[in-house]
Amino acid sequence: MKAQIITIGDELLIGQTIDTNSAWIGAEMSRLGFDVWRKLSVHDLREDILVSLKESAGKSHVVLITGGLGPTSDDITKQTLCEFFNTRLVINLEVLKMIEEMMKRRNFPMNENNRKQAEVPESCRVLKNGAGTAPGMWFEKDGTIYISMPGVPHEMKYIMTEHVLPELKRRFASQVIIHRNIMTYGTPEARLAELLTGFEADLPSEIKLAYLPAAGIIKLRLTGTGASNVLVNNIIEEQVNKLYSVIPELIYGENEDSFEIVIGKLLRERGKTISTAESCTGGKIAHMLTSVPGSSIYYKGSVIAYDNKIKSELLKVPQTLLEKYGAVSTDVAESMAAGARDLLKTDYSVATSGIAGPDGGSDAKPVGTVCIAVASEKGTISEKHVFGNDRLTNINRFSIAALSLVRRQIISR
Amino acid sequence: MKAQIITIGDELLIGQTIDTNSAWIGAEMSRLGFDVWRKLSVHDLREDILVSLKESAGKSHVVLITGGLGPTSDDITKQTLCEFFNTRLVINLEVLKMIEEMMKRRNFPMNENNRKQAEVPESCRVLKNGAGTAPGMWFEKDGTIYISMPGVPHEMKYIMTEHVLPELKRRFASQVIIHRNIMTYGTPEARLAELLTGFEADLPSEIKLAYLPAAGIIKLRLTGTGASNVLVNNIIEEQVNKLYSVIPELIYGENEDSFEIVIGKLLRERGKTISTAESCTGGKIAHMLTSVPGSSIYYKGSVIAYDNKIKSELLKVPQTLLEKYGAVSTDVAESMAAGARDLLKTDYSVATSGIAGPDGGSDAKPVGTVCIAVASEKGTISEKHVFGNDRLTNINRFSIAALSLVRRQIISR
């Protein structure tokens, strides 16, 4: 079962918009057992859209198309679909009514652009959009299903979830493709590959292994193919168990696990709470922790102390430490963590102090230096790392290193 | 001048990795005047890579390829390029030396996987990778330039910036394509299009207008094409001035401006400082403000008060307010903002209290409700909004709404 994705929009090609839609669609279609074998982005241009539709004919069971359905004049997907499917635009009264109701609820007046959004190609089946004004459209031609959806992510997701995925699931009995990710942290890719040489050599033929590195985290993706869920899951399970025995200390989670999710689970299980005391990470760690639904159970709050005065006045970091070692030091990070733990009354507190860049580095403490500390009833521990030169990358890597230390301290005896 | 992008990697198709590389490459190539007309992602599969290379032949001046160059066995791009260009892999001694030095600096031992990374197709020109171990490769065939680069973003960017972009700039004298973005906030797309009907009708033929909505922000992209920079810039400038007269109150910035960048500039100009008091946004606003290089000049710190105890004890929100109106109320948000301004001693302080979801909503205060407040010497102002159901989208939209209020308050008289 093959599927391909076509995303339409100049903004995708000139790099003003990052194409997150096709990643989401790719993940959902893979889950249904489709091999998403090709992903194409083209301009809002009649000829380019037509070429991409013609190319896809007969090569995939399903073609998923997003974008170019907005109410504004630069969007031409609907007219072009009419041309490809040899049909014409007609007003769909049900869609019109829905748009009228939506505008009323939001207290915006209805205008000509909104009315145009109720026009659809006559030969398509309309897929209602409960999250916006542009409906989805389902076409079939010469054995291929074509589905056109708006490019606004939450509208596309609504139409996929409510209409497309359930119907595709019903219609396609499938060979099973299962992906399982093992999340590792703490070693570079080439070294990890060396550690796993024997493991790779012994992999059964139904299983493929891929290394996906990002911000110090390396995701090991095992992909299994076979006749049934049970069969494939069993083979993957066996290989996962092997991985746990080969690199136990490097694995921190599985599948979509991030450090913040893993830490959330550990804290809930133990009935413990956490706070953060951030300097160089500027709220990023708090944002990561609170991005997890239900985090208010274990996350209490934070002090972000960019200014040294806030470090000393609120977090009670002694002036002598700041003068003797400087703000970027393990001593100050430890004092910040302990101070936040006292002030915010949590079981754990994690602190960061470092130089995210691009300026502020020195020979002794170059840009990319970070000191992190975790305070808890087990005492206070700290680490120092040196990463790269890019500000946002550093903020991210500092935060991940800090959360890795939190995890290790929670599970330590 | 046409260019296309091919990104290689299963992870892109099954949606485990969002393809940020091609967005970055698209933006850089557009800046050089290239029309990036096609962007394709394919599997790490010999046949699919070969088909995509053959398809591109003769249709573009430049083909930019990323991915599949890692040290691990799932990466097969180099072997496949050898096949397409009819050449073979040979060890490049310069690359080998560079990898050896890099591993030594990072204090990792050299292994067989690292050595394999020094192998390159004999017919290519090697582009040194100063940010990692896999070199870039430059091929030419039948009038088309093919450039293969690693998929790790900062390595790809290094090779593009150091080698590819400067050489392409030298070799291609170009027709000028200039993009300019006007950033708007505060009105839905169909309504904005209605306000701009006359403006659109009067646009000169060299200028195209596109609407790019994201998280409540609508980017208006003007694209001009012509013979020279001066010419195109003049025409665009004229249209931009018109926009400022048609929708003055909706425009908050231009081009890559985010609210945090705009606020940073305003605070620097005025010599003012800011802090945040966040509940439902959990550090996101602080993270946005501190993502701007040099923000430590005007950003001092924050209190994240997820727990009501922290709101009352640290931010001095009166218990009576919390009981009478609940934490999610404009009264409590105002009190939080004023409390943080006192505690952290800044000119401005912005507070949020709301329900990001997925749980915690009620009929009176559904998921998506947020109260935001800004305290300053001009007094304290607040707003209430209701957004959608998705937690991460809400955290983002709450934060943008809060920063929009900050901006308005800074520029108000």
Side-chain angles (χ1 to χ4, degrees), chain A residues 14-16 23 27 35 38-39 41 43 55 73 111 181 194 200 221 286-287 290 300-302 304 307 391, chain B residues 14-16 23 27 35 38-39 41 43 55 73 111 181 194 200 221 282 287 290 300-302 304 307 391:
Chain A
I14 66 171
Q16 287 201 336
D35 171 23
R38 204 176 158 90
K39 219 177 75 180
S41 301
H43 278 306
E55 274 179 358
S73 60
N111 69 17
N181 301 322
E194 195 182 356
E200 280 201 63
R221 190 188 61 226
H287 172 52
T290 58
K300 295 299 154 193
S302 291
I304 305 174
D307 192 334
R391 182 176 182 84
Chain B
I14 65 171
Q16 289 202 334
D35 171 23
R38 202 177 159 88
K39 219 177 76 177
S41 302
H43 278 306
E55 274 179 359
S73 61
N111 68 17
N181 301 321
E194 196 181 356
E200 280 201 62
R221 189 188 60 225
H287 172 53
T290 57
K300 295 300 156 193
S302 292
I304 304 175
D307 191 333
R391 183 177 182 84

Side-chain angles (χ1 to χ4, degrees), chain A residues 365-384:
Chain A
K365 294 174 183 175
V367 167
T369 303
V370 67
C371 295
I372 54 186
V374 177
S376 71
E377 59 183 356
K378 298 171 191 170
T380 301
I381 53 165
S382 61
E383 284 181 355
K384 187 179 166 183

Side-chain angles (χ1 to χ4, degrees), chain B residues 389-409:
Chain B
N389 291 313
D390 180 70
R391 183 177 182 84
L392 289 182
T393 307
N394 279 337
I395 292 175
N396 195 30
R397 294 204 66 164
F398 295 174
S399 301
I400 290 170
L403 290 177
S404 172
L405 191 65
V406 169
R407 172 182 164 271
R408 278 184 282 141
Q409 189 66 342

